[in-house]
Amino acid sequence: MNPLLQDAAQRAARYLAALDARPVHPTPDAIARLAALDVPLPARPRPPEDVLHELDTLGSPATVASAGGRYFGYVVGGALPVSVAAHWLATAWDQNVASAAGAPAAAAFEQVALRWLRELLGLPADAAGAFVSGTTMGNVCALAAARHAVLARAGWDVEADGLFGAPPVTVVVGEEAHPTLFKALGLLGLGRRRVQVVPADAQGRMRADRLPRLSGPSIVCLQAGNVNTGACDPFDPLCAQAREAGAWVHVDGAFGLWAQAAPGLRALCAGVAAADSWATDAHKWLNVPYDSGLVFVRDGAALRAAMAVSAAYLPAPGSGPIASDHTPELSRRARGVDAWAALAALGRDGVAALVERCCAHARAFAHGLRAAGFDVLNDVVLNQVLVSFGDAGATRALAARLQDDGTCWCGLTEWRGRVALRISVSSWATTEADVQRCLAAMLRLAGAH
Ligand SMILES: Cc1ncc(COP(=O)(O)O)c(C=O)c1O
């Protein structure tokens, strides 16, 4: 075997095997040593094995151990070993999956992964889909398709003529929409601020009784999985009202849409399939390597109208799947390979078990924290737990001690005016023993034991 690749594989395996014994957040020393990287651009070539050695010795200790089982920050998935292995192989292939014409194998794996994902997530079998970098870009693609469709119905060609002079588009968002949704709206010229905001209930779900009366070109943005509470909007009544008004319904389902893959959780997303578009992540709950997100659009023609690119030197429509007609990029990596490998290895039952296991771990955290007398601020319906350790100062201090302690890593948030430690269980690697070990650390550092 190529000694360099063998060396990389051995270093990677050593890294992963050592995760359990190291602090989750890198030590200040390890981070300080990164300064050694900051040297002038080398004038002359160096042996590749020296380069790899430097990458490993400087880089590996300064990583956040989010590939292990005790990282609960943001909503960060680990990476299933099979998807890491597939990712390596696909990296060796180095395919540019702009189209099947240029990358037949990678495009075929991607198409099968998309079909499996539509089935797993309960989305229409004929919806167009594509892999993108994350839900942020999934939202951009879906909302670009929405913008196209609602303006086309009003007789306006937004791709050709832009938004100057276009009929106004009403955009409705929930009070608890994720900040990246606003970023997507801003990028598309729909405006971060010119939205109509619908109030949310105590768990962050959009209130269906407060959806404004809609007329003219309208886009309603719903959410599956509030980034703090995990709550999902009531899709059934919201989609029904929006559809009656002829509005396009988009769902930001970065992680919450995965409730659809778990029979015990599917009720949370009841009615979500009635929407027009969906964005979600594979790098969160499917546990494939970063980065990997998805967009699905019921009206594939609208997505293609927004994204298509053509030139005499590019493959013509009809020559096989053309990813670059469904995504903002032309050149792109083979994200579908990692997802295909994860899905092929887990199967439907394995994905359901992974999602349900994370939620069971979240409930165990909530149970242990409540039993010790701490306030869990949300209904733990999915994988998110918000806990207060007293007033804002006490909770912030606990978070700092926990992060320094290194047993696990959780971030802070604010929920309904209260500062909370935010625990997001999103990794295949988290075990019951991890949960008990982390819970014990939290309680010890909070002075509860
Ligand atoms: C609800 C929601 N939407 C969008 C995003 C952004 O996803 P990404 O970072 O994959 O772009 C997140 C990230 O946590 C999220 O929770």
Side-chain angles (χ1 to χ4, degrees):
M1 200 211 265
N2 176 325
L4 190 68
L5 295 186
Q6 195 162 26
D7 188 20
Q10 277 164 359
R11 288 177 188 277
R14 267 203 305 274
Y15 172 80
L16 292 174
L19 283 181
D20 204 42
R22 54 157 282 192
V24 172
H25 200 266
T27 62
D29 273 359
I31 295 173
R33 281 197 293 277
L34 291 172
L37 275 177
D38 194 11
V39 296
L41 171 69
R44 277 178 290 281
R46 266 172 79 190
E49 53 275 21
D50 289 4
V51 173
L52 196 65
H53 176 78
E54 185 175 333
L55 177 71
D56 189 22
T57 50
L58 283 181
S60 294
T63 56
V64 171
S66 53
R70 287 176 282 107
Y71 184 79
F72 306 111
Y74 310 103
V75 188
V76 169
L80 289 156
V82 71
S83 69
V84 175
H87 184 85
W88 286 352
L89 183 54
T91 302
W93 292 352
D94 192 23
Q95 300 289 282
N96 177 357
V97 202
S99 67
F109 285 103
E110 193 158 285
Q111 289 305 309
V112 171
L114 289 169
R115 176 163 63 74
W116 288 353
L117 283 159
R118 280 188 288 261
E119 189 182 323
L120 200 60
L121 299 175
L123 305 180
D126 56 353
F131 282 91
V132 289
S133 56
T135 296
T136 303
M137 282 318 292
N139 284 336
V140 169
C141 295
L143 291 169
R147 184 183 68 163
H148 169 87
V150 299
L151 284 173
R153 277 182 231 142
W156 188 266
D157 181 346
V158 69
E159 283 74 30
D161 299 322
L163 280 173
F164 303 102
V169 177
T170 303
V171 179
V172 175
V173 302
E175 180 192 349
E176 276 291 326
H178 193 268
T180 57
L181 187 95
F182 293 95
K183 178 170 175 161
L185 292 171
L187 286 171
L188 290 166
L190 293 169
R192 293 185 184 218
R193 199 170 51 199
R194 64 172 288 289
V195 292
Q196 293 196 27
V197 180
V198 179
D201 69 11
Q203 296 300 317
R205 291 174 292 232
M206 188 192 279
R207 283 185 47 185
D209 60 333
R210 300 289 294 273
L211 190 71
R213 196 172 291 282
L214 299 167
S215 63
S218 308
I219 302 170
V220 177
C221 303
L222 306 182
Q223 181 167 260
N226 177 288
V227 77
N228 283 312
T229 66
C232 300
D233 288 343
F235 300 111
D236 260 333
L238 285 165
C239 289
Q241 287 177 64
R243 293 210 140 220
E244 206 172 299
W248 178 291
V249 179
H250 170 62
V251 177
D252 172 350
F255 62 101
L257 194 59
W258 290 83
Q260 288 278 89
L265 298 164
R266 210 169 281 154
L268 282 175
C269 280
V272 75
D276 296 286
S277 59
W278 306 263
T280 190
D281 271 321
H283 56 216
K284 290 187 169 68
W285 236 339
L286 187 57
N287 277 254
V288 299
Y290 278 87
D291 52 23
S292 187
L294 289 148
V295 59
F296 294 100
V297 177
R298 182 186 295 279
D299 175 2
L303 181 61
R304 285 185 289 278
M307 296 292 154
V309 57
S310 63
Y313 82 98
L314 292 173
S319 62
I322 302 182
S324 59
D325 282 353
H326 297 83
T327 64
E329 309 92 355
L330 177 57
S331 301
R332 50 198 289 284
R333 77 170 184 92
R335 294 188 182 97
V337 169
D338 315 351
W340 171 85
L343 293 167
L346 290 172
R348 188 200 316 271
D349 292 352
V351 176
L354 163 55
V355 170
E356 280 171 358
R357 193 167 68 240
C358 290
C359 297
H361 291 329
R363 289 194 299 274
F365 269 120
H367 177 76
L369 290 161
R370 277 200 187 106
F374 298 110
D375 255 0
V376 173
L377 306 184
N378 63 315
D379 294 344
V380 181
V381 293
L382 209 61
N383 60 334
Q384 307 291 116
V385 184
L386 303 176
V387 56
S388 157
F389 290 87
D391 61 14
T395 304
R396 285 188 202 284
L398 181 279
R401 286 199 295 279
L402 191 65
Q403 292 170 2
D404 285 351
D405 170 79
T407 305
C408 61
W409 199 93
C410 303
L412 282 166
T413 191
E414 253 184 68
W415 182 247
R416 301 300 189 208
R418 291 184 71 184
V419 172
L421 188 79
R422 193 173 157 284
I423 306 170
S424 175
V425 190
S426 313
S427 175
W428 71 279
T430 304
T431 62
E432 270 178 49
D434 286 326
V435 174
Q436 292 312 319
R437 184 170 157 194
C438 298
L439 204 44
M442 288 174 193
L443 300 186
R444 170 173 49 81
L445 294 166
H449 282 341

